[in-house]
Amino acid sequence: MHLRRLILSVCLLVVLPASYALAETAIGVAMDDFSYTDTSAEPANQTAAHERRLAAFMAALRQDIGEDRRYRLAPSAQDGAAFKVIGGIQKTSTLVQWAKVAVIDVGAKKIVMDKLYTFRGDNDESWQRAEIFVSREIMAALATPAPIAMAVFDFELEDTTAASAGASATSDASYLAEVSGSVRDALGRSGRYRLVDVGSANEKAVKARALRDCGGCEAAIAQGLGADQSLIGVVRRVSRTEYTLGFQVRDARTGAVLARGDSGLRLGADYSWKRGAVRLVNDRIIENQPQQ
């Protein structure tokens, strides 16, 4: 008996830390009770049956989420939930019901799933089938990685030729705006990034278009804007018809460089800045990232 207790104690010492670690790393999911509306105009009062079936539906849904070790049920977003699940069910006729379900990424303030389902029947079996299907859909949405919040600052010009003035300076500003806008569009379309508005950034280096010389200060600025990462880019004019360009991505929290790219070649005239920048960012960031 004593030996059995000793073995059990040792097993608990081994197992419990792993369980605690899983609990610490599990993603918090909050789930409100779904609403229910009956617009079928059936003569019989089925309120009690619907309340019972809805309660069973929610209990099964929470059980499915809770049994997956990747997730843990949280009371609310204030209690550490990374995602929130909301929904409602409507009975439209004797045999047809609709279920509207949404999954919200709390940190990103983004809806990652918003779907409308229909299921036939209004008995225990039909509700159970609906719960199994909705549960799978929610789990798939939760497993989809949230896009990275990125602050893409305006590209800057480093001109090693004679100073640009007048009309040239105006056209330079126009081309740089095209570069910045096109890079933001490419990153946004990839689905891997959520662009953070940098318009409110008023730090000296931002206003002076000198982030390339601030020793990585863009990371802290990006963090202040609520971004996970920062991106700065530079167009270097070699001559009036040749340029090179580069960019750098940092972790907004640590300042560590996560990615960088440089064309390394003298490319075409200023009107082709946009094309070169988009190609470089696409090659070094978007296409170079592993599929998740």
Side-chain angles (χ1 to χ4, degrees):
M1 180 63 72
H2 291 297
L3 179 60
R4 183 177 179 182
R5 288 177 179 175
L6 178 60
I7 293 173
L8 179 59
S9 299
V10 172
C11 289
L12 287 173
L13 288 173
V14 174
V15 173
L16 285 178
S19 300
Y20 291 148
L22 285 170
E24 287 295 323
T25 58
I27 299 171
V29 179
M31 187 181 303
D32 290 348
D33 285 337
F34 287 12
S35 63
Y36 189 84
T37 306
D38 187 349
T39 58
S40 65
E42 291 181 298
N45 186 339
Q46 302 181 71
T47 301
H50 290 153
E51 289 178 349
R52 176 178 58 80
R53 288 171 183 148
L54 181 60
F57 181 96
M58 296 307 305
L61 206 53
R62 290 189 173 100
Q63 182 176 346
D64 290 345
I65 302 296
E67 287 180 347
D68 190 314
R69 293 189 176 185
R70 295 174 296 175
Y71 311 108
R72 61 178 178 81
L73 293 175
S76 67
Q78 289 72 31
D79 294 297
F83 292 92
K84 184 172 183 177
V85 180
I86 59 175
I89 299 174
Q90 178 181 1
K91 183 174 182 178
T92 59
S93 69
T94 302
L95 294 177
V96 178
Q97 301 197 76
W98 295 88
K100 177 77 168 177
V101 184
V103 178
I104 303 168
D105 184 323
V106 176
K109 298 180 180 178
K110 180 183 178 66
I111 296 175
V112 296
M113 184 188 105
D114 185 9
K115 294 186 177 181
L116 182 65
Y117 307 98
T118 181
F119 63 98
R120 295 182 63 80
D122 185 12
N123 54 39
D124 292 349
E125 183 181 356
S126 63
W127 277 74
Q128 289 167 5
R129 289 198 305 267
E131 186 280 326
I132 292 171
F133 184 82
V134 170
S135 174
R136 290 172 181 169
E137 292 282 288
I138 292 174
M139 299 285 270
L142 292 174
T144 302
I148 298 168
M150 177 177 281
V152 180
F153 294 98
D154 291 338
F155 271 61
E156 301 171 357
L157 177 63
E158 188 175 289
D159 195 346
T160 60
T161 66
S164 300
S168 295
T170 301
S171 62
D172 287 345
S174 176
Y175 288 132
L176 285 172
E178 287 185 358
V179 170
S180 304
S182 298
V183 167
R184 290 183 181 117
D185 287 345
L187 291 168
R189 286 196 306 270
S190 74
R192 298 180 182 177
Y193 299 94
R194 176 176 60 86
L195 299 179
V196 174
D197 184 12
V198 299
S200 62
N202 58 4
E203 286 76 4
K204 183 178 179 180
V206 177
K207 291 183 175 181
R209 298 291 180 89
L211 287 172
R212 64 189 185 278
D213 297 322
C214 74
C217 71
E218 73 273 10
I221 297 172
Q223 185 180 33
L225 296 172
D228 302 316
Q229 297 178 6
S230 64
L231 183 148
I232 60 171
V234 182
V235 177
R236 303 180 188 89
R237 177 180 281 134
V238 181
S239 71
R240 295 306 304 178
T241 57
E242 295 178 310
Y243 73 96
T244 65
L245 57 85
F247 73 87
Q248 186 165 263
V249 176
R250 289 182 184 271
D251 183 294
R253 185 176 60 84
T254 67
V257 176
L258 302 176
R260 56 163 54 97
D262 199 296
S263 64
L265 299 172
R266 294 187 177 188
L267 306 174
D270 47 12
Y271 54 78
S272 60
W273 292 355
K274 176 177 69 174
R275 184 172 65 248
V278 171
R279 182 169 63 246
L280 183 63
V281 168
N282 186 71
D283 291 345
R284 300 298 175 84
I285 301 181
I286 299 173
E287 296 298 331
N288 198 40
Q289 293 294 323
Q291 296 294 327
Q292 300 186 52

